[in-house]
Amino acid sequence: MEGTGPECTPAARALLAGGGPARPYWPHVPGQGWVSDGGALLLRALLRSYHGRRSAFGHPADYESAVNGRGVPDDGTGDPGVLLRRGTAFARSVLAAAERDVPGRSVTARISVAPVLDSPQEHTGYVTFASSRYAGERLRWTLEGDGPVVLLRGPGV
C-alpha cells in the first residue's frame, strides 16, 4: 500500500512500539469489498450487520462513520497496546483492499483506545473508516489531545 502514515499521538506511538505485531481480526471483511450508497463509501461486510437507515444521516460522512466503525475485539486482557496494534493491523488490511477495490477514492482509518467510562482501569479499542475527503474537514479527525489515536491514510487521488 502506498498511503501515508501512520500518524500517531505520542501516547499511540509508545503503545505501538511496546509490543510485537498483531494479526488482523475479521479477515473476511476486506475481501468482501466496498459499496457506495448516496455518496458514502461503505464496507460491504460491515453494512450487512448494520441496522440503521441511510435516510437518518444528512451527510455521507456521518453514514460512513456509523456503518464503518466497530470496536476492536479484546483478548480478555484489556491491554491498550494490544488493542491499538490489533486495530492498526485490521485497518492496514482494509486500506490495502480499498486501494485495490475502489480506485480513485482514498480512505482514512482512525484507530483509538480509551478507558471504559465506568471502569477506567479497563480499555476499549475502536476503528472506523471514512472517505479521506471527509476525514479532515467534515469529521475533524486530528491528532489533537494526548490519548492514543492513529490515523492511517490510503493513497491520495
Side-chain angles (χ1 to χ4, degrees):
M1 189 172 85
E2 307 266 334
T4 64
E7 297 175 54
C8 306
T9 61
R13 191 162 307 283
L15 288 174
L16 289 174
R23 280 186 281 176
Y25 52 94
W26 299 335
H28 68 285
V29 171
Q32 291 187 22
W34 297 78
V35 62
S36 183
D37 183 358
L41 189 59
L42 310 170
L43 281 157
R44 190 179 310 273
L46 299 184
L47 179 60
R48 286 189 182 116
S49 65
Y50 182 74
H51 299 290
R53 296 179 184 241
R54 169 65 180 98
S55 60
F57 300 92
H59 194 278
D62 301 326
Y63 191 41
E64 286 181 351
S65 290
V67 172
N68 294 336
R70 292 293 189 278
V72 176
D74 190 358
D75 62 357
T77 66
D79 181 302
V82 169
L83 291 168
L84 196 64
R85 288 188 298 278
R86 186 173 287 151
T88 301
F90 175 64
R92 287 184 189 282
S93 69
V94 169
L95 292 177
E99 181 179 357
R100 179 189 64 237
D101 297 341
V102 286
R105 299 273 308 257
S106 180
V107 177
T108 296
R110 184 182 191 276
I111 307 101
S112 62
V113 174
V116 176
L117 282 177
D118 60 349
S119 188
Q121 71 279 6
E122 297 177 38
H123 290 82
T124 187
Y126 196 75
V127 61
T128 194
F129 304 91
S131 298
S132 294
R133 64 181 170 191
Y134 303 139
E137 183 180 321
R138 171 73 187 189
L139 297 175
R140 293 186 176 87
W141 284 359
T142 67
L143 295 177
E144 295 174 7
D146 54 6
V149 175
V150 175
L151 294 178
L152 291 172
R153 301 177 200 280
V157 290

